[in-house]
Amino acid sequence: AELIGQLVDEARVAPVVPGLAGEVEAVRRVGPGGSFVFVVNHGDRAATLDLAGTDLLSGRTGSPFEIDGGAVAVVAEDPAAGSADGAA
């Protein structure tokens, strides 16, 4: 376990959205059209995400962004907020 932690640190691996509950998945995709975070909340409760943007599915905006329990979102990140890390 110590070796894995060391490798993760050396590779600078970090969560897409820090502080997510275990029931929430997030993946970021970055391209010429912008930065998008795909979020799935497998839990029953709403979760707050440390990102700023607009959900392309519902039209909701937020900073921080909230996703309902059992919901999915495709968040177009607000480039002015600087939340995208440029990683794909």
Side-chain angles (χ1 to χ4, degrees):
E2 187 175 318
L3 175 61
I4 292 173
Q6 180 181 352
L7 293 172
V8 166
D9 290 343
E10 288 176 9
R12 296 184 181 160
V13 175
V16 171
V17 180
L20 286 182
E23 303 86 16
V24 181
E25 294 179 61
V27 63
R28 177 178 284 121
R29 295 292 179 249
V30 179
S35 178
F36 304 90
V37 178
F38 295 78
V39 184
V40 180
N41 185 350
H42 297 282
D44 295 335
R45 297 181 179 169
T48 301
L49 291 73
D50 186 19
L51 17 126
T54 301
D55 179 6
L56 300 179
L57 303 178
S58 70
R60 287 196 301 185
T61 61
S63 176
F65 190 85
E66 186 170 293
I67 182 169
D68 295 331
V72 298
V74 179
V75 181
E77 291 189 281
D78 179 358
S83 55
D85 64 2

